[in-house]
Amino acid sequence: KAAFINFISDEEWKSIEPVSSWFGPSSFLMSSMSALFKLSMWIRHGHGYLTENLGIPVWGSYAVFGLATLFLGMILGLVSAALGAD
């Protein structure tokens, strides 16, 4: 606590180089990383729900997520093809 107070009162913070806007918390890169982390946590909780609450075997949970990935890819591909047909 004392070191932090000294850091502020002695204005040591002025000698620190600011973080580049590319790596700032509100940048596109960091927002994307945050979204990917949230997606991975959602997948992890979904896997836990399928295996622990519903009693689906682990390979069954992998199959569910694999099929969901395939279908989502097909839907996105169809939408992309439909929008690009103009």
Side-chain angles (χ1 to χ4, degrees):
K1 179 179 171 182
F4 180 69
I5 291 172
N6 289 338
F7 178 77
I8 300 299
S9 63
D10 295 342
E11 297 184 358
E12 294 175 18
W13 52 270
K14 289 184 178 181
S15 64
I16 296 177
E17 189 173 326
V19 175
S20 167
S21 64
W22 182 251
F23 294 107
S26 61
S27 71
F28 176 75
L29 178 66
M30 291 300 144
S31 297
S32 300
M33 292 298 292
S34 173
L36 286 174
F37 181 75
K38 289 177 185 177
L39 175 65
S40 70
M41 292 306 294
W42 181 84
I43 291 171
R44 181 178 177 194
H45 289 298
H47 173 72
Y49 177 77
L50 290 175
T51 56
E52 295 170 11
N53 294 354
L54 299 181
I56 296 175
V58 172
W59 63 267
S61 174
Y62 291 159
V64 167
F65 283 108
L67 289 172
T69 302
L70 288 174
F71 286 125
L72 182 61
M74 287 179 8
I75 291 169
L76 290 175
L78 286 172
V79 168
S80 176
L83 293 176
D86 292 338

